Amino acid sequence: MRTECSADLFGFAPVEGRAVVAAFDGGMMTSEAGAMLLGAADRTIGLVARFAGCFTDHRAADLVEHPVASLVGQRVFGIALGYEDLIDHDQLRHDPVMAVLGGKLQAKRSDCAPLAGKSTLNRLELSRAEPSRYHKISYDTALIEAVFVDVFLDAHAVPPPQITLDLDATDDPLHGHQEGRFFHGYYDNYCYLPLYVFCGRHLLASKLRSANIDGSAGSVEEVARIIARIRQRWPGVRILLRADSGFAREALMAWCEANAVDFLFGLARNTRLVEEIKAELAAAAELGQQTGKPTRRFRDFTWQTRDSWSRQRRIVAKAEWLPGATPGTGEANPRFVVTSLSREEHEARHLYEKLYCARGEMENRIKECQLDLYADRTSAKTMRANQLRLWFASMAYVLICALRRIGLAHTQFARASCGTIRLKLLKIGALVRASVRRIKLAMPTAFPYQAEYRAAHAALSAAATA
C-alpha cells in the first residue's frame, strides 16, 4: 500500500497492511509520536533484529503471543523513551505508537494486549543459560557483545586510518543484596564496577563486574576481543588505547606492545617520579608565584618501575603550579602519563594537553548511559539478569546515537545528549487515529522543532533505502 507524503505529511514503515503517516495538524495529545524516529533509526541499522538474534526461544512456537524481537524491541524503545521500570509496560503495552514500533496492533487472543506486560518482560530479564519451566528464553553473551562492535563497524562506509578506544570503569551503586555486590572504598558504597569501552560516541562494550577487583581487571580480554573483531574488517587500521592511571598495568601494556596497538595511560605519581621533575616543578613554582597564574612545564623521559614493569617506557610529566588564594602561596600539581607513542610523532605538551586530556569526553558518554538511559538500574538478584539490564540500556544508547549520527547530523542537535534528544524530539504528544487503511498521528502545530523532526526522518529514510 502506498504511503502518502507531502510537505506536511510524511510516511513511516507500514504495519499490518496499514500505512503509518504523521502530520503536524494539531489534535489531542494521547501518545508519544516522537518514538517513530526511534523506529526509523532502528530500521536503518537493524539494531533490534541483531539484538534479538542473540536470544534462543525455547517456548512452544504455536503458543507464543509475544516473539523475542517484540520483547527486546519493547524494552529498548521503552528505555530510550525514558521508561526504565518494567512496571511502566503495564500501561505501555496498550500504547498505539509502541504497538506500531512493535509491528503489531492487535493480539492473537482477545484477553491479551498487543505488547507484553511487566511479568513477561521480567521473565525475559531473568533468563537462564539453560531453559527452565518459567524461563524459556536464553541469551548468548558472545553474540550480544559482538553486536556493539558490528554496529560501530557498519557505521563507517570507509575504514578510518586510525581510531582511539577509551576505557574506563565507573561505580554502579547498589541498594539491595544483589549477587556480586561488594563495598568499594574509593566510591564509599556497595556497588558494581562496570567496564566501558568507547570509540568517540560509539559504545563498544559495557561489562558488568563485581567491585572487589582492580579497575583494569578483565580489560585485556575485552580489548583483545574487540580489536580482533575490528581487525577482521579493518586489517590496516591503527589503534590507540587511552585510559586513566587505573589501566597502566603491565599485562595490558605488554599485550598492546605484542599486538601492535598503541597506548596512552595515566600514571599514578610516586616519590621517584616526582623527584624526576624536581627542577621543572621549581621553575613552574617560581614563575607561578611571580604571575599569580597557573604555570606548566613538561618533561619527557624514559622510566621503569623497580619490579612490576618488564621494560622501560616513555613518560610525559606535567609539572604544574597552582596559585593559592593568598599571593605567594600555592601548590604543586604534578601529573604523569605513560605511552608507546614516539617523541617524533607527539611532543610532550601536545601529547598531554591535546591527546590525553581528550579522554575526559568519555566520561560524558558514561553519564549519558548511567543517567539518561538508566544503566545503573541493576536491582535484579543475579549478576546475569543485571548484565542483561545493562545491555538493554546500552542498546538504547546505541539506538539514540544512530538517530543523532544519521538523522541529526546537520541540525542543532548534532552533538546533543541523549537526554536532550529525548526531551526535544521524542516526547511529543500526538493524537493517534487508526483506520482500515492507515494509522495517522496528528502532532501539535505548536511543536517548535518540526524542521529538525522532518530532517531527521528524511535522513533516516534515505539511509535505510541506500
Side-chain angles (χ1 to χ4, degrees):
M1 183 171 295
R2 184 173 66 87
T3 300
E4 296 185 25
C5 297
S6 68
D8 295 317
L9 197 64
F10 43 97
F12 296 89
V15 55
E16 290 188 354
R18 283 179 274 189
V20 183
V21 297
F24 293 100
D25 62 358
M28 294 172 55
M29 295 184 285
T30 61
S31 189
E32 292 168 0
M36 300 306 295
L37 286 182
L38 293 177
D42 177 59
R43 288 191 297 276
T44 303
I45 64 173
L47 182 67
V48 169
R50 297 189 203 206
F51 191 20
C54 304
F55 292 78
T56 302
D57 191 351
H58 299 278
R59 297 175 296 176
D62 57 331
L63 300 178
V64 171
E65 177 64 49
H66 306 294
V68 171
S70 176
L71 297 174
V72 168
Q74 185 179 342
R75 192 72 172 107
V76 172
F77 290 133
I79 292 174
L81 289 170
Y83 301 106
E84 74 270 28
D85 293 325
L86 291 180
I87 196 171
D88 296 326
H89 290 270
D90 267 10
Q91 296 297 323
L92 291 175
R93 61 180 174 165
H94 301 287
D95 185 272
V97 172
M98 290 292 287
V100 169
L101 293 178
K104 179 185 173 188
L105 294 176
Q106 293 179 335
K108 296 178 184 177
R109 304 197 306 265
S110 59
D111 60 342
C112 188
L115 298 178
K118 65 178 186 301
S119 299
T120 303
L121 292 171
N122 183 57
R123 285 193 290 273
L124 172 68
E125 288 193 350
L126 298 180
S127 62
R128 314 288 175 84
E130 296 295 331
S132 64
R133 180 178 180 181
Y134 298 108
H135 304 93
K136 296 182 179 293
I137 302 174
S138 60
Y139 65 80
D140 187 312
T141 296
L143 292 179
I144 294 177
E145 291 174 338
V147 168
F148 292 101
V149 184
D150 289 343
V151 170
F152 162 70
L153 294 170
D154 293 343
H156 297 77
V158 178
Q162 60 184 26
I163 59 175
T164 299
L165 304 184
D166 287 305
L167 293 78
D168 204 358
T170 190
D171 68 315
D172 177 0
L174 301 176
H175 306 286
H177 294 275
Q178 291 92 325
E179 178 186 10
R181 79 159 194 158
F182 284 93
F183 186 86
H184 196 289
Y186 178 81
Y187 296 109
D188 195 29
N189 58 29
Y190 286 91
C191 62
Y192 288 135
L193 196 68
L195 172 67
Y196 284 93
V197 182
F198 284 86
C199 182
R201 290 181 177 269
H202 293 275
L203 176 58
L204 301 186
S206 53
K207 187 76 170 182
L208 196 65
R209 306 175 301 172
S210 297
N212 62 334
I213 57 172
D214 181 76
S216 67
S219 58
V220 173
E221 293 77 9
E222 286 298 300
V223 166
R225 173 184 61 80
I226 292 170
I227 291 178
R229 199 165 188 89
I230 291 174
R231 282 181 169 167
Q232 285 179 356
R233 295 266 294 272
W234 300 342
V237 67
R238 185 181 181 185
I239 301 174
L240 170 68
L241 290 190
R242 184 169 58 187
D244 62 20
S245 59
F247 292 83
R249 302 292 187 261
E250 170 64 22
L252 185 55
M253 291 187 287
W255 183 91
C256 290
E257 291 160 346
N259 290 273
V261 175
D262 289 313
F263 61 85
L264 175 58
F265 299 145
L267 185 62
R269 67 188 180 195
N270 56 45
T271 54
R272 286 181 60 207
L273 284 169
V274 174
E275 185 67 23
E276 285 281 343
I277 60 170
K278 185 176 180 180
E280 287 76 13
L281 284 171
E286 181 180 359
L287 182 59
Q289 290 172 349
Q290 293 175 359
T291 63
K293 298 179 180 179
T295 306
R296 291 180 174 184
R297 294 289 186 270
F298 289 87
R299 185 179 170 199
D300 201 321
F301 59 94
T302 58
W303 191 75
Q304 183 175 1
T305 62
R306 287 174 176 160
D307 53 17
S308 60
W309 287 9
S310 60
R311 53 175 291 181
Q312 287 190 337
R313 295 184 171 100
R314 181 191 177 195
I315 305 297
V316 169
K318 179 190 73 170
E320 184 176 43
W321 178 263
L322 300 176
T326 305
T329 64
E331 62 177 356
N333 182 38
R335 298 298 173 98
F336 305 88
V337 297
V338 55
T339 184
S340 63
L341 299 172
S342 66
R343 295 178 176 85
E344 293 74 23
E345 190 174 11
H346 296 280
E347 59 90 19
R349 178 182 288 272
H350 178 270
L351 183 137
Y352 186 90
E353 293 184 340
K354 301 300 182 182
L355 194 57
Y356 177 72
C357 289
R359 65 161 295 278
E361 183 64 19
M362 179 198 181
E363 297 182 7
N364 293 327
R365 308 287 77 77
I366 293 178
K367 288 177 181 177
E368 286 188 86
C369 290
Q370 299 285 99
L371 303 181
D372 291 346
L373 296 167
Y374 319 109
D376 59 350
R377 302 302 199 268
T378 48
S379 57
K381 180 179 179 180
T382 66
M383 283 279 287
R384 179 180 174 85
N386 285 322
Q387 174 65 82
L388 186 55
R389 285 191 171 190
L390 177 58
W391 280 329
F392 277 129
S394 299
M395 290 295 178
Y397 171 87
V398 171
L399 184 61
I400 295 183
C401 276
L403 167 59
R404 176 171 53 199
R405 170 172 49 84
I406 302 170
L408 303 173
H410 303 293
T411 71
Q412 62 174 307
F413 301 115
R415 297 185 59 81
S417 69
C418 293
T420 297
I421 291 172
R422 176 196 294 146
L423 179 65
K424 304 293 187 182
L425 291 174
L426 302 183
K427 306 293 281 187
I428 310 168
L431 174 66
V432 182
R433 300 186 182 98
S435 66
V436 175
R437 287 179 165 272
R438 68 185 56 178
I439 302 160
K440 185 176 181 181
L441 282 67
M443 303 163 73
T445 55
F447 177 50
Y449 305 109
Q450 296 181 36
E452 289 83 357
Y453 192 102
R454 288 192 176 95
H457 186 265
L460 290 167
S461 298
T465 57

